[in-house]
Amino acid sequence: MPRSDRIEGAMPRFQTTAVHAGREDFVELCVHAPPLDLSTTYPVPDLDVGSASFDALVAGQASAPNPIYARLHNPTVARTEGAIAALEGTQACVAFASGMAALTAVLLARAQHGRHVLVVRPLYGTSDHLLASGLCGLEAEFVQADQIAARRRPDTVLVVIETPANPTLALVDIRAVVEAAGDVPVLVDSTFATPVLQRPAALGATYVLHSATKFLGGHGDVIAGVVCCDEAHAAPLRTVRAATGALLHPLAAYLLHRGLPTLKLRVEAAQANAQVLAERLARHPAVARVHYPGLPGAVNGHLVGSQMAGPGTLLAFDVHGGHDAAAAVMKRVQLITPAVSLGSVDSLIQHPAGLTHRVVEEAVKAATGITPGLLRLSVGIEDVEDLWQDLTQALASS
C-alpha cells in the first residue's frame, strides 16, 4: 500500500491526528483533557424527544439529541470512537468492552444475511475458538487465502483474516483477499499492525478490528475492542451493542483516548527494538527459528513496505527442546514479563500453545506452526541491550 502520513478527510498527518483527534471542541468547552462522563442515565424532560432518541439509538444511529441510557450511548466513548476512526481513515468506529465483544458483534450482525464465513488461519486463539464453535450461529470454513474465491458460496457473508497473524506473524495480502472475496465483506484483525503501520480500509477491507487492549491503549490498563468501518456497516454493530450490552465503559474509553497521542512513538520505538532482537535471536544457538516479517524468508515479507509501513513489534521464536525449554525461558526472564497480551510499553513473553492458543485443536496448532517450543515476544520500548541481556540469560537454560 503506498503509504503517507496524510489521511484523506482528516488532519494532514498521522501524528497530528493522533494528538488532536477527538479534541476539536476543547477550546469551545474550555477544557484541556477529555471530558469523562460516567453517567448511567440521562434526564428526559421532553418525552417526545426522549422516545425519538431511543428509537434512533436502538436503530444504530451514532448519536441522538438525548443519550437516554449509557448502554445506548456515552459521549466519552463516542469521542474516542471519532479519534480512532480518524486514525484508520474510516467514516465510523464502534467501541466494545473487549476485542472479542467486537468480533462477536460483527458475526452477529453478518448472521442476519447468511450463515457461511471463510476464515484464514492462524489467528488469535479465542477468535479461532469462537468461529469454530458456531456459537454465533455461523458455519466457519477454514481455508488458505488463495482458496477464498473458489470456496465462496451464495450464503457467504464474511471473510475473516488476521495480518500479521497471531502468533506466527505471517502476513496476508489484504488487496488479494478483498479481490477474491468479491462482494463479500472482509474483516481484517489489524491489532498487531495498528493504524501506524497498516490501514486495511484503504485496501478495500469492510471491517478493521482491533483489540484496543493492546497498542491503542498501550499501557496494560484497558480492556477494549473497536471496529472501524463505513457508517452503513457501523449502524448494525451499534444495534447489536445496544441489545447485548457490550458498550465500552467510559473510563476505559477515556484511558484509550489518552493513549492515542503516543501510539506512533511507541510503535516505532518498539519496532526498532524488535528488529534488533529478531536478528540476534536468529543467530542464537538455542533458537531453531524466528518468525518476524522483517527477516529474510518471512511469509509474504514482500508486503512490508507496501501493505505495511514496517515489520512491527511482535516476534515469535522456536527454541530447541520444545515445551520444557520454552517453559524454562519463561521462568528465567527477569526484565521481560511472562504474561499474555501485547502492545504495552513493557515487553511481554508468552507460550501460545499453552496459553493464548490452548483452546485451538492440536492438529490445527501443528498445521499453523504453533509448536510446543514457540514463544511469542511483544517487544516494548525498554533499552534494547537490556532486553537482549535478559533474553540471553534466559536462553542459557534451554
Side-chain angles (χ1 to χ4, degrees):
M1 172 177 68
R3 282 303 310 275
S4 169
D5 261 0
R6 295 182 179 272
I7 303 173
E8 185 178 352
M11 292 185 178
R13 292 175 175 81
F14 188 93
Q15 183 56 35
T16 302
T17 303
V19 171
H20 290 282
R23 294 167 167 81
E24 296 84 357
D25 60 348
F26 277 19
V27 172
E28 178 185 348
L29 295 173
C30 202
V31 299
H32 186 247
L36 174 56
D37 187 334
L38 293 171
S39 301
T40 58
T41 192
Y42 298 88
V44 187
D46 188 316
L47 180 57
D48 290 339
V49 171
S51 297
S53 296
F54 185 94
D55 291 344
L57 294 172
V58 169
Q61 289 191 21
S63 63
N66 191 313
I68 305 296
Y69 186 59
R71 180 167 50 81
L72 304 177
H73 182 82
N74 176 272
T76 302
V77 173
R79 183 180 289 279
T80 303
E81 289 172 333
I84 296 172
L87 293 181
E88 279 292 355
T90 57
Q91 292 178 341
C93 170
V94 186
F96 296 86
S98 70
M100 289 310 304
L103 176 59
T104 299
V106 175
L107 297 179
L108 291 175
R110 295 310 304 166
Q112 309 306 307
H113 303 280
R115 287 292 179 266
H116 184 239
V117 179
L118 291 170
V119 186
V120 177
R121 281 169 165 154
L123 63 162
Y124 174 52
T126 307
S127 299
D128 190 302
H129 179 66
L130 177 66
L131 287 157
S133 69
L135 282 172
C136 293
L138 294 165
E139 173 198 346
E141 181 180 357
F142 294 90
V143 298
Q144 300 298 316
D146 59 5
Q147 298 175 317
I148 290 171
R151 299 294 182 88
R152 254 180 24 225
R153 302 185 337 206
D155 64 338
T156 303
V157 293
L158 188 66
V159 175
V160 178
I161 65 173
E162 181 176 337
T163 181
N166 189 351
T168 62
L169 288 304
L171 303 184
V172 181
D173 189 326
I174 297 171
R175 282 193 190 278
V177 167
V178 169
E179 182 178 355
D183 60 357
V184 177
V186 174
L187 179 148
V188 178
D189 185 332
S190 195
T191 298
F192 277 25
T194 82
V196 175
L197 302 177
Q198 177 174 277
R199 289 169 226 165
L203 303 173
T206 303
Y207 302 100
V208 183
L209 184 145
H210 292 276
S211 172
T213 306
K214 313 308 193 292
F215 292 99
L216 300 187
H219 294 81
D221 54 9
V222 174
I223 297 287
V226 298
V227 180
C228 297
C229 55
D230 61 24
E231 182 56 35
H233 288 89
L237 298 181
R238 296 191 195 102
T239 297
V240 170
R241 182 178 67 181
T244 59
L247 183 76
L248 180 65
H249 190 277
L251 179 57
Y254 173 89
L255 292 172
L256 182 55
H257 197 184
R258 187 187 66 174
L260 296 181
T262 61
L263 174 62
K264 187 172 188 284
L265 308 179
R266 290 184 279 106
V267 168
E268 290 181 345
Q271 178 177 254
N273 282 349
Q275 182 71 47
V276 172
L277 295 179
E279 292 172 358
R280 292 181 182 180
L281 284 167
R283 299 191 295 268
H284 196 285
V287 175
R289 181 182 179 185
V290 177
H291 303 262
Y292 184 63
L295 293 179
V299 178
N300 282 335
H302 67 280
L303 295 173
V304 176
S306 54
Q307 177 171 292
M308 288 184 70
T313 75
L314 274 293
L315 61 90
F317 57 99
D318 267 297
V319 291
H320 294 295
H323 175 276
D324 291 346
V329 171
M330 288 186 64
K331 188 180 291 290
R332 285 179 61 91
V333 287
Q334 298 171 6
L335 177 65
I336 299 167
T337 301
V340 299
S341 200
L342 57 104
S344 188
V345 290
D346 59 323
S347 298
L348 306 175
I349 193 167
Q350 67 100 9
H351 185 257
L355 294 170
T356 56
H357 292 71
R358 188 169 180 81
V359 293
V360 178
E361 294 179 5
E362 292 300 323
V364 174
K365 282 188 279 197
T368 53
I370 305 171
T371 64
L374 186 71
L375 291 165
R376 191 193 71 193
L377 177 63
S378 174
V379 182
I381 62 173
E382 303 96 334
D383 189 288
V384 70
E385 296 303 332
D386 291 328
L387 293 174
W388 179 241
Q389 182 178 353
D390 194 28
L391 283 171
T392 51
Q393 66 82 24
L395 285 166
S397 66
S398 64

